[in-house]
């Protein structure tokens, strides 16, 4: 039987979902306990961390994860997340740019406020900072992974190899002595790098960072483990500073003995000295006196730098053959409850510890470490012992064998008391003390003279200006006493740079405007010209606001121009005799993307009519806007019935007011058509042609006919407009539709007590395919005829699609509904980046998206291992193999690598970047009829098992919507594409993992399965209708 699946297909369909049959399933609990172990994915890692310094951060995101997470962001007004960030990152802006795949724009926003944006994306205690203020804490799904998004965007930019350059808007006279002043910065850590970067952006050219170690990065390199902060990240951000002329001198420490002191630096002609070297000495307690590494005792200052040098490729520049990890084994006790203590604990596991105990004096509610650090230690099977204070160390044969602790308790006055009667002895082989750090080296303290020190032997610093008591000496980071985290140290350097700038300028009799701020990040991408000339009008960029609710008033248009929009339509207006009054409700969210609430709507429906304001209001407004914004383009959107006198009068009024161009609204799909206006005029070629002729005779300025998609063939209407003398067309207006009916039969929106509705205009991404089809169809038939595209343009990437399809300018509306006028920054930077990256020709990149690596959980998969599923016994085996490969690789750092080898590859600055006009219509030659397509060049699907998350969506869609060409293993849950694949691409379309499925050329000729062979007799089709009784 043809309508019954053959046996091989029936076997393939065994695991296909079946409809419920009303019968409850019965499985013994013991069997379920066995089954769950096979499928379990959240298996704790036990003893598989030795020598494993790969990324373990939960926040790390793939492109798929980043886009989904960014799409959840509400982009709140007066965003609390930004107020909680020490460097004041514009968080909602960079997240909104990630959501539209403008990764350069996101990185630019991040690096503008934080020169160590990638480092901070990896190590920031976000739960206590930006994430702690996220308004989505008020919802079930929880706050945004801000740190992961920040890391993602900046890593993408790092991979692009594009350099940082000075913003020409902040250029200075190269002979200006004030900008040639010598500035010495002590310590190559976050505070100094930040301070030097901002001073370099301001134009200072004589900036030198002195670092006592042979490596760069300060504590970011030496005390934050590789699995949290790779060395190449630190080296990259320092390279960005060096691109602006900042110099790094290694092997120079501040000390009296070395001769490098605050006094000597000032005597040597340094106008400014910035102290940013941190707190270099560990704090001890008396019971550890005399103990060393040979006894099994480390401080965090001893332990973490050795771990870093042995595990961070490129960090150590010494000439020895290798640096070994600390030889840790058995039980390890880590003392302390800060971030450093937990770094020591998780690092000890990677150095060979069997068990790690984190012991601290107070309770869990008093832990100073951020929750992310503590949670990582818990997941890696570290044990926590709260309420214990060290009392003595037990040493036998020169080796630590145990520690004793007193039990702590808090009395009614809040004091913490040691109870000597309650003791605990813990057997251990090693002790790592992480009780904090300070400044105790007398040689170093002497080198700070004449800087005034406080009772902690740290510089006495003005926390606003970061200045010390000595003119021209500033301080930041841990040393200044306020910053406790990397991001706070970065902000200390940023804050200091402002006041250093004012101080240096004052030495030359200049006054700096206190409101001027600091230069942001700048790269060659920002120099790309995205202006375009259309119909003799010069547009700063191709993006403008459509005639819709974002241009309800001229005051709104004014704000839009200030935001950066190149042009704006007025809301459509009419003569007073045709004035309207709107109903309410009238603008509702779409249903085309399912039950999506909040911003990010894929569609809107409106039954709003044209402007309720008079033509006199709009004409006066046009005059004001053109007076105040002469470089912006104001296009008057006008509407009349089919009446020559009305069109002539309104067009001439608008021209006289100063409009740069007109848009003839011949397309409003609801309400106005019933008045003989809008769509009623735009659906017939003769009416469109005549109206355009009237306008052409009435005015000299360019005009565009706005077309409706609610016609049989939009190209015919466009041709009629061209014949009538129109300078171009707008394609398209909204699509007539009914957005939805409620379960009780009432429509939404409904008006009045009778709950009446009408067909409205659907807008947004839902109509993008219709608009893109209209634009390309018109452009193919009417070459060089300007098209103003509108309909679902919500990103630079989508805008480029319309430009490639033949559009000259891009009108935006629904995207502003979802956010606000500031999206223009996203679109402009995004378009510049797309044009620049295209010229760079980066291998495998698609726009701003780099090639997708094989990954799981956003982290690159290890190579050279068998491909196994990531669950159950397979996951355990995979971890064992991975760990064994790392142990066998002995993990000796090759010291032939230099720091510079770890910096992302840099490409030459691209030249001859395409102009906007160069890309218009370049896709048209590839768009044709079905008969133009080649059915000999077929493709098939290939699944990357290493990226597969075993959901089986490809299997299901192929079975019930396709060609039963994918099998599904009932044990491994790996899908497999068979030779029956027809290349339909449904599997790729529903796969949740980007690039897990790819379409590749078919290696053999495609032979369709005809069901009944062609050579057999086929019954002819019935030509006459069936006779029925």
């Amino acid at each position: 039987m043809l309508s019954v699946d053959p046996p091989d297909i029936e076997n393939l369909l065994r695991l296909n979902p079946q409809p419920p049959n009303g019968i409850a399933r019965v499985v013994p609990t013991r069997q379920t306990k066995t089954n769950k172990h096979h499928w379990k994915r959240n298996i704790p890692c036990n003893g598989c961390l030795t020598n494993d310094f790969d990324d373990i951060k939960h926040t790390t995101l793939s492109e798929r994860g980043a886009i989904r997470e960014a799409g959840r962001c509400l982009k709140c007004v007066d965003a609390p997340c930004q107020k909680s960030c020490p460097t004041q990152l514009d968080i909602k802006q960079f997240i909104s740019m990630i959501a539209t795949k403008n990764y350069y724009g996101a990185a630019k926003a991040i690096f503008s406020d934080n020169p160590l944006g990638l480092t901070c994306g990896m190590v920031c205690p976000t739960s206590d900072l930006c994430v702690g203020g996220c308004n989505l804490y008020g919802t079930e799904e929880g706050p945004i992974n801000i740190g992961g998004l920040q890391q993602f965007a900046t890593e993408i930019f790092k991979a692009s190899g594009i350099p940082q350059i000075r913003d020409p808007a902040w250029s200075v006279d190269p002979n200006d002595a004030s900008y040639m002043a010598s500035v010495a910065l002590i310590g190559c850590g976050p505070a100094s790098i930040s301070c030097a970067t901002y001073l370099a952006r301001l134009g200072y050219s004589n900036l030198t960072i002195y670092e006592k170690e042979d490596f760069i990065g300060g504590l970011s390199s030496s005390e934050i483990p590789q699995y949290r902060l790779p060395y190449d990240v630190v080296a990259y951000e320092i390279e960005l500073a060096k691109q602006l002329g900042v110099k790094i001198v290694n092997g120079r420490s501040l000390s009296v003995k070395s001769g490098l002191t605050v006094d000597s630096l000032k005597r040597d002609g340094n106008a400014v000295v910035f102290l940013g070297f941190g707190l270099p000495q560990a704090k001890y307690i008396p019971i550890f006196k005399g103990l060393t590494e040979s006894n099994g005792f480390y401080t965090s200052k001893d332990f973490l730098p050795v771990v870093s040098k042995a595990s961070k490729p490129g960090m150590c520049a010494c000439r020895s053959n290798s640096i070994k990890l600390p030889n840790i084994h058995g039980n390890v006790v880590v003392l302390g409850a800060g971030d450093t203590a937990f770094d020591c604990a998780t690092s000890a596991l990677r150095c060979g510890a069997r068990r790690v105990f984190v012991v601290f004096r107070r309770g869990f509610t008093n832990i100073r470490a951020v929750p992310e650090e503590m949670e990582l230690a818990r997941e890696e099977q570290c044990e926590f012992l709260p309420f214990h204070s060290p009392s003595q160390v037990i040493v036998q044969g020169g080796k630590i064998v145990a520690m004793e602790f007193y039990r702590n308790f808090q009395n009614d006055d809040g004091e913490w008391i040691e109870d000597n009667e309650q003791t605990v002895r813990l057997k251990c082989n090693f002790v790592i003390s992480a009780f904090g750090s300070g400044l105790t080296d007398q040689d170093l303290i002497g080198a700070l003279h004449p800087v005034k020190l406080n009772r902690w032997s740290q510089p006495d610093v003005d926390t606003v200006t970061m200045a010390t008591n000595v003119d021209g000496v500033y301080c930041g980071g841990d040393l200044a006493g306020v910053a406790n985290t990397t991001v706070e140290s970065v902000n200390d350097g940023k804050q200091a740079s402002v006041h250093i700038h004012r101080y240096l300028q004052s030495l030359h009799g200049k006054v700096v405007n206190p409101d001027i701020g600091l230069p942001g990040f700048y790269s060659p991408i920002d120099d790309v010209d995205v202006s375009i000339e259309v119909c003799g009008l010069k547009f700063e960029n191709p993006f403008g606001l459509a005639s819709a609710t974002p241009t309800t008033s001229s005051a709104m248009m004014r704000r839009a121009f200030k935001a950066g929009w190149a042009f704006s339509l007025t809301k459509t207006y009419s003569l007073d005799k045709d004035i309207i009054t709107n109903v309410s409700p009238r603008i509702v969210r779409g249903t085309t993307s399912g039950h999506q609430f909040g911003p990010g709507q894929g569609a809107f429906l409106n039954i709003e009519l044209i402007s309720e304001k008079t033509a006199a209001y709009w004409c006066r407004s046009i005059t004001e806007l053109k007076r105040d914004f002469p470089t912006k383009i104001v296009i008057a959107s006008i509407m009349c019935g089919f009446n020559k006198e009305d069109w002539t009068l309104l067009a001439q009024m608008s021209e006289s007011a100063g409009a740069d161009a007109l848009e003839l609204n011949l397309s409003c799909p609801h309400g106005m058509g019933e008045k003989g206006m809008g769509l009623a005029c735009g659906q017939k070629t003769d009416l469109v042609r005549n109206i355009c002729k009237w306008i052409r005779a009435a005015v000299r300025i360019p005009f565009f006919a706005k077309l409706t998609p609610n016609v049989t063939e939009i190209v015919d209407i466009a041709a009629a407009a061209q014949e009538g003398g129109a300078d171009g067309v707008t394609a398209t207006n909204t699509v007539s539709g009914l957005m939805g009916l409620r379960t009780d039969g009432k429509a939404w929106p409904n008006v009045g007590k009778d709950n009446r509705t009408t067909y409205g205009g659907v807008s947004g991404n839902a109509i993008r395919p219709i608009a893109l089809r209209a634009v390309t169809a018109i452009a193919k038939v009417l070459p060089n005829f300007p098209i103003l595209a509108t309909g679902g343009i919500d990103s630079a990437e989508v805008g480029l699609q319309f430009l490639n399809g033949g559009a000259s300018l891009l009108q935006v509306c629904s995207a502003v509904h979802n956010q606000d006028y500031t999206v223009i920054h996203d679109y402009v930077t995004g378009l510049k980046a797309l044009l620049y990256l295209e010229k760079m020709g980066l291998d495998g990149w698609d726009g701003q998206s780099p090639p997708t690596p094989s990954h799981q959980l956003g982290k690159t998969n290890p190579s050279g291992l068998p491909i196994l599923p990531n669950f159950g016994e397979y996951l355990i085996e995979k971890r064992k193999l991975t760990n064994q490969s790392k142990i066998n690789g002995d993990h000796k750092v090759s010291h032939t690598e230099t720091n510079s080898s770890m910096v992302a590859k840099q490409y030459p600055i691209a030249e001859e970047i395409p102009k906007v006009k160069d890309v218009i219509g370049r896709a048209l030659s590839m768009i044709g009829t079905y008969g133009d397509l080649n059915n000999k060049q077929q493709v098939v699907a290939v699944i990357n098992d290493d990226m597969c998350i075993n959901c089986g969506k490809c299997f299901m869609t192929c079975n019930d919507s396709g060609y039963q060409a994918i099998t599904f293993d009932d044990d491994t849950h790996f899908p497999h594409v068979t030779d029956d694949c027809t290349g339909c691409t449904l599997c790729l379309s529903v796969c949740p993992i980007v690039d897990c499925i790819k379409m590749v050329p078919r290696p053999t000729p495609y032979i369709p399965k005809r069901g009944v062979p062609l050579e057999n007799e086929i019954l002819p089709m019935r030509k006459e209708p069936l006779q029925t009784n």
Side-chain angles (χ1 to χ4, degrees):
M1 293 177 63
L2 294 178
S3 59
V4 175
D5 286 315
D8 61 327
I9 298 299
E10 288 287 357
N11 183 58
L12 180 147
L13 295 172
R14 283 183 305 110
L15 295 179
N16 211 43
Q18 300 297 318
N21 55 14
I23 300 174
R25 298 182 179 90
V26 180
V27 177
T29 300
R30 180 174 295 277
Q31 182 61 48
T32 301
K33 285 180 177 291
T34 301
N35 292 345
K36 77 173 184 178
H37 287 296
H38 179 72
W39 304 109
K40 194 172 180 65
R41 287 183 178 267
N42 59 338
I43 301 172
C45 187
N46 190 6
C48 61
L49 293 171
T50 304
N51 285 12
D52 187 351
F53 289 88
D54 291 343
D55 180 8
I56 45 76
K57 297 185 296 297
H58 293 314
T59 53
T60 302
L61 295 167
S62 66
E63 183 172 27
R64 166 194 177 272
I67 293 172
R68 288 173 67 91
E69 185 68 4
R72 292 202 305 120
C73 179
L74 301 179
K75 294 89 178 176
C76 307
V77 65
D78 201 28
C81 56
Q82 180 175 344
K83 293 176 178 296
S84 304
C85 174
T87 60
Q88 304 300 304
L89 280 187
D90 193 340
I91 293 170
K92 70 176 182 179
Q93 183 190 58
F94 87 70
I95 291 180
S96 68
M97 289 179 172
I98 292 173
T100 60
K101 298 182 71 173
N102 178 13
Y103 307 140
Y104 170 69
K108 176 180 171 68
I110 293 164
F111 284 132
S112 287
D113 275 308
N114 185 341
L116 278 74
L118 177 49
T119 289
C120 291
M122 291 183 167
V123 303
C124 251
T126 55
S127 61
D128 187 49
L129 299 173
C130 52
V131 171
C134 180
N135 286 330
L136 281 173
Y137 257 122
T139 66
E140 302 89 336
E141 64 265 31
I144 298 295
N145 176 6
I146 297 173
L149 291 171
Q150 183 171 328
Q151 174 186 338
F152 171 79
T154 47
E155 279 193 314
I156 295 291
F157 181 71
K158 173 175 175 280
S160 73
I162 296 169
Q164 177 174 203
I165 61 176
R166 282 198 177 99
D167 185 344
W170 291 79
S171 61
V172 298
D173 183 347
N175 297 316
D176 187 335
S178 65
Y179 287 93
M180 298 165 66
S182 180
V183 177
L185 303 99
I186 310 301
C188 192
S192 293
I193 299 165
S194 174
C195 183
T197 297
Y198 281 111
L199 290 174
R201 289 179 186 173
L202 283 164
Y204 291 95
S205 58
N206 197 358
L207 307 167
T208 305
I209 298 177
Y210 295 94
E211 168 57 48
K212 71 173 182 178
E213 302 289 352
D214 290 332
F215 55 84
I216 53 179
L219 302 188
S220 296
S221 296
S222 63
E223 295 190 21
I224 301 180
Q226 172 79 0
Y227 49 87
R228 289 184 58 220
L229 181 60
Y231 182 68
D232 71 301
V233 167
V234 178
Y236 168 69
E237 290 175 325
I238 293 174
E239 183 65 22
L240 288 178
K242 290 166 69 175
Q243 289 165 1
L244 298 179
V246 176
K247 296 179 284 293
I248 314 291
V249 177
N250 289 93
R252 295 294 308 274
S253 61
L254 193 71
S255 74
V256 175
K257 292 178 182 178
S258 71
L260 189 71
T261 67
V262 170
D263 257 344
S264 70
L265 287 167
K266 294 288 282 184
R267 285 197 309 269
D268 290 343
N270 288 285
V272 166
V273 176
F274 178 81
L275 304 171
F277 55 81
L279 298 174
Q281 282 83 47
K283 292 180 179 178
Y284 284 87
I285 56 175
I287 65 171
F288 297 123
K289 185 176 181 180
L291 294 179
T292 66
E293 297 170 21
S294 62
N295 306 115
F297 173 73
Y298 291 88
T299 69
S300 60
K301 295 287 185 181
D302 303 324
F303 180 68
L304 289 174
V306 177
V307 174
S308 292
K309 289 178 181 179
S311 62
K312 293 190 173 186
M315 174 177 164
C316 184
C318 61
R319 296 184 178 275
S320 61
N321 292 327
S322 66
I323 292 179
K324 295 180 180 179
L325 293 169
N327 185 17
I328 302 294
H329 59 271
N331 293 348
V332 177
V333 169
V334 176
L335 303 174
D339 294 335
T340 301
F342 287 103
D343 281 341
C344 289
T346 51
S347 293
L349 290 170
R350 288 160 174 79
C351 293
R354 181 167 55 87
R355 296 185 73 187
V356 174
F357 298 88
V358 182
V359 185
F360 41 97
R361 292 182 169 125
R362 300 182 182 182
F364 284 102
T365 57
N366 303 107
I367 285 180
R368 290 182 292 109
V370 295
E372 297 93 324
E373 286 265 18
M374 189 176 73
E375 179 62 18
L376 171 62
R378 186 196 66 79
E379 288 183 359
E380 295 191 347
Q381 310 295 293
C382 293
E383 306 287 351
F384 299 160
L385 273 74
F387 304 114
H388 286 83
S389 292
S391 62
Q392 66 173 317
V393 186
I394 313 301
V395 180
Q396 294 179 1
K399 298 291 184 181
I400 293 174
V401 295
M403 274 200 71
E404 287 190 355
F405 299 90
Y406 293 134
R407 177 75 174 175
N408 285 358
F409 69 93
Q410 194 172 21
N411 64 21
D412 293 340
D413 295 327
E415 296 178 290
W416 287 92
I417 309 296
E418 291 182 359
D419 185 350
N420 298 349
E421 295 180 359
Q422 296 190 69
T423 61
V424 171
R425 174 176 283 205
L426 194 62
K427 291 182 178 181
C428 60
N429 305 96
F430 295 88
V431 174
I432 304 173
S433 171
F435 282 143
S437 54
L439 184 59
T440 58
D441 184 330
Q442 292 304 309
D443 183 34
L444 178 54
I445 291 173
L448 292 174
H449 180 77
V451 173
K452 180 182 177 182
L453 305 183
N454 57 27
R455 60 193 177 99
W456 297 285
S457 296
Q458 295 172 221
D460 195 357
V461 178
D462 182 323
T463 56
V464 174
T465 66
M466 308 312 294
T468 68
N469 63 299
V470 180
D471 283 349
V473 178
Y474 296 78
C475 183
D478 291 348
L479 185 65
V482 176
N484 296 315
T485 61
T486 299
V487 68
E488 289 169 340
S489 295
V490 170
N491 195 59
D492 278 1
K494 180 182 184 180
Q495 185 76 9
S497 71
V498 173
H499 297 282
I500 291 172
H501 176 47
R502 293 178 185 172
Y503 171 75
L504 289 174
Q505 294 304 302
S506 71
L507 295 180
H508 293 78
K510 300 178 182 179
V511 177
V512 176
N513 182 345
D515 300 323
I516 198 169
L518 290 169
F521 185 85
Y522 200 86
S523 84
I525 288 176
D526 298 300
D527 285 332
V528 174
D529 180 9
V530 291
S531 65
I532 184 171
E533 186 173 309
V534 178
C535 299
L537 302 174
K538 181 69 177 293
F539 295 79
E540 298 170 357
N541 61 68
F543 297 101
L545 292 174
S547 173
T549 52
T551 61
T552 294
S553 71
S554 55
M556 295 170 69
M557 294 172 64
R558 177 178 292 273
R559 284 192 284 116
F561 284 149
K562 289 180 179 179
W565 294 88
F567 69 97
S568 177
L569 281 291
T570 64
K571 190 116 168 41
T572 302
Y573 56 92
S574 65
L575 294 173
D576 289 355
K577 69 185 185 69
D578 296 317
I579 203 75
I580 60 90
T581 300
N582 278 305
V583 298
S584 64
R586 60 182 179 273
I587 306 173
V588 299
R589 68 180 181 88
T591 57
T592 55
S593 298
H595 300 291
Q596 165 84 17
F597 298 95
Q601 293 296 325
F604 292 90
L605 176 134
N606 81 87
I607 52 174
E608 178 161 302
L609 302 181
I610 61 175
S611 176
E612 294 177 323
K613 293 180 169 56
T614 63
Y617 167 89
W618 282 112
C619 287
R620 286 176 56 186
S621 294
I622 290 169
T623 302
E624 291 177 6
L625 291 172
K626 285 305 300 179
R627 179 195 65 209
D628 297 342
F629 300 94
T631 63
K632 304 291 186 179
I633 302 299
V634 177
I635 302 177
S637 176
I638 60 175
M639 179 187 288
C640 299
F642 190 69
N643 182 293
K644 181 178 181 180
E645 288 73 22
D646 288 353
W647 280 107
T648 299
L649 175 60
L650 195 55
Q652 290 177 340
M653 285 173 60
S654 303
E655 182 181 39
S656 298
D660 294 293
L662 306 177
E663 182 180 83
L664 316 184
N665 189 335
L666 306 176
S667 48
C668 184
H670 50 270
M672 303 310 296
E674 299 167 20
K675 299 174 175 288
M677 305 166 74
L679 171 141
C681 294
Q683 289 182 319
K684 297 180 180 179
T685 54
D686 56 336
L687 299 187
V688 171
R689 186 182 298 108
N690 284 331
I691 292 172
C692 289
K693 286 182 177 179
W694 298 338
I695 301 297
R696 182 72 291 155
V699 299
R700 296 182 178 180
I701 58 175
F703 71 91
F704 308 91
K706 188 169 187 178
L707 308 183
T708 174
N710 305 296
V711 292
T712 304
E713 179 50 74
I714 197 169
V715 175
D716 295 339
I717 306 297
Q722 185 185 49
E723 293 164 6
D727 295 277
V729 293
T730 299
T732 67
N733 208 322
T734 54
V735 176
S736 181
L738 185 65
M739 189 53 75
L741 299 171
R742 292 176 170 173
T743 54
D744 61 1
K746 295 176 184 176
W748 182 246
N750 58 64
V751 178
K753 295 180 180 179
D754 295 333
N755 299 306
R756 304 284 296 179
T757 194
T758 186
Y759 299 110
V762 180
S763 63
N765 297 355
I767 72 165
R768 184 188 300 153
I770 298 170
L772 200 53
R773 188 267 179 194
V775 168
T776 55
I778 294 168
K780 284 182 69 69
V781 174
L782 304 175
N784 302 316
F785 189 49
I787 302 171
L788 282 62
T790 182
I793 299 171
D794 68 344
S795 67
E797 186 179 65
V798 172
L800 184 57
Q801 291 181 38
F802 278 92
L803 293 171
N804 285 333
S808 302
L809 296 169
L810 309 167
Q811 294 186 19
V812 178
C813 171
S814 296
V816 179
H817 292 341
N818 275 315
Q819 192 170 337
D820 53 55
Y821 291 138
T822 61
V823 294
I824 185 60
H825 298 285
D826 178 4
Y827 301 168
V828 171
T829 57
L831 183 58
K832 288 182 176 185
L834 288 168
L835 294 174
Y836 188 92
L837 288 168
E838 178 181 317
K839 186 63 178 180
M840 288 183 69
L842 299 180
D843 187 33
W845 285 57
D846 177 17
Q848 295 198 50
S849 298
T852 305
S854 177
H855 66 89
Q856 288 275 339
L857 293 173
K859 301 168 181 66
T860 303
N861 292 324
S863 58
L865 297 177
I867 295 177
L868 299 171
N870 287 276
F871 54 76
E873 63 269 24
Y874 295 114
L875 179 57
I876 294 172
E877 178 65 17
K878 192 171 187 177
R879 286 174 174 171
K880 287 180 180 177
L881 292 171
T882 301
N883 186 239
Q884 192 59 48
S885 72
K886 292 182 179 298
I887 293 173
N888 291 343
D890 81 3
H891 293 267
K892 295 176 181 177
V893 177
S894 169
H895 298 291
T896 57
E897 294 183 88
T898 62
N899 292 349
S900 61
S901 71
M902 300 306 300
V903 179
K905 181 178 179 181
Q906 292 179 26
Y907 299 89
I909 294 178
E911 298 179 357
E912 298 181 5
I913 309 301
K915 304 287 188 183
V916 173
K917 64 181 178 61
D918 298 329
V919 303
I920 292 175
R922 60 181 175 177
L924 297 177
S925 62
M926 294 175 279
I927 302 172
T929 65
Y930 188 86
D932 296 332
L933 308 182
N934 189 330
N935 64 6
K936 303 297 183 186
Q937 298 174 3
Q938 299 278 349
V939 296
V940 292
V942 173
I943 300 173
N944 184 336
D945 289 342
D946 219 15
M947 293 174 66
C948 179
I949 62 171
N950 318 102
C951 64
K953 296 304 297 181
C954 55
F955 171 74
M956 289 186 282
T957 193
C958 190
N959 285 340
D960 288 3
S961 298
Y963 298 88
Q964 300 82 53
I966 297 178
T967 62
F968 195 68
D969 189 283
D970 58 2
D971 184 65
T972 65
H973 276 192
F974 274 143
H976 174 70
V977 180
T978 71
D979 292 338
D980 292 331
C981 178
T982 67
C984 73
T985 322
L986 262 177
C987 57
L988 182 151
S989 300
V990 301
C991 179
I993 304 300
V994 176
D995 289 340
C996 180
I997 300 178
K998 292 186 176 181
M999 308 307 294
V1000 301
R1002 187 181 184 89
T1004 58
Y1006 172 57
I1007 303 175
K1009 290 186 176 181
R1010 302 295 185 186
V1012 175
L1014 290 173
E1015 59 267 26
N1016 287 7
E1017 181 179 358
I1018 301 176
L1019 295 175
M1021 293 181 63
R1022 184 184 299 274
K1023 296 182 178 179
E1024 68 279 7
L1026 289 172
Q1027 299 297 316
T1028 57
N1029 295 327

